[in-house]
Amino acid sequence: MTRRGTIAGIARHAFPKAPMEVIDQVDITVEGGVHGDFRGTVKPGGRGRRQVTLIERGDWDAAMAEVGHNIAWQERRANLLVDGLDLPQVPGTLLRIGDVILEITRQTDPCERMEMLATGLTAALSVDWRGGVCTRVKAGGDIAVGDEIGIEEP
């Protein structure tokens, strides 16, 4: 498994069903996840298991090939596009991007919106965690496209 990769894209949406805004850099906080993204805020009594979502470029490309489309990655509605790193499929694994530490909580299940983008996309993203991972923010900081992402060794 590759232990290091790069952040190839950053996206956020301000409210449910809002269009995704692609940005070059962003602040990530323990309280709010990706600044400006409505999903990152930990709700009262919540556990924040879906503060920041990540998807591998290779997995998105494979899903696109499977359904015969070329849809922009941000339409997956993930926050971070990762290039060159196999995201671990193990809840509790820590990822580091500079000062930011993210804890993998679960896989990101594809929603019904994926099927509206392309017939068969939900199934294509359901295989082997191809839809990405959900994370909880353990330490915040600023990140930018091009930053290195790696697996935190225990």
Side-chain angles (χ1 to χ4, degrees):
M1 180 184 330
T2 302
R3 307 305 281 184
R4 300 233 173 266
T6 57
I7 299 300
I10 302 170
R12 63 186 178 188
H13 54 305
F15 55 89
K17 299 184 181 172
M20 294 300 287
E21 175 189 14
V22 177
I23 53 180
D24 292 328
Q25 60 187 34
V26 74
D27 184 42
I28 294 180
T29 65
V30 171
E31 304 78 24
V34 172
H35 179 75
D37 189 272
F38 86 98
R39 279 205 185 274
T41 302
V42 179
K43 293 160 186 62
R47 295 180 288 173
R49 295 185 316 152
R50 192 188 173 120
Q51 284 188 287
V52 181
T53 54
L54 298 85
I55 188 168
E56 295 174 36
R57 182 192 303 268
D59 284 346
W60 181 251
D61 290 349
M64 288 295 97
E66 195 171 305
V67 298
H69 285 275
N70 186 20
I71 299 168
W73 75 272
Q74 66 270 18
E75 295 304 317
R76 173 62 185 105
R77 308 191 69 75
N79 297 122
L80 304 178
L81 179 66
V82 176
D83 199 12
L85 174 68
D86 295 322
L87 293 170
Q89 299 175 1
V90 180
T93 302
L94 299 179
L95 304 172
R96 177 181 285 276
I97 311 163
D99 292 334
V100 173
I101 298 176
L102 304 173
E103 177 188 5
I104 294 175
T105 58
R106 61 186 173 99
Q107 70 178 311
T108 309
D109 297 322
C111 67
E112 67 281 351
R113 294 184 66 129
M114 296 303 101
E115 205 62 20
M116 293 186 318
L117 288 175
T119 301
L121 185 54
T122 299
L125 290 171
S126 297
V127 177
D128 196 32
W129 288 47
R130 204 188 265 173
V133 299
C134 295
T135 65
R136 173 185 299 116
V137 180
K138 303 300 274 183
D142 292 320
I143 67 166
V145 171
D147 283 356
E148 184 176 83
I149 179 171
I151 300 167
E152 250 323 73
E153 299 300 333

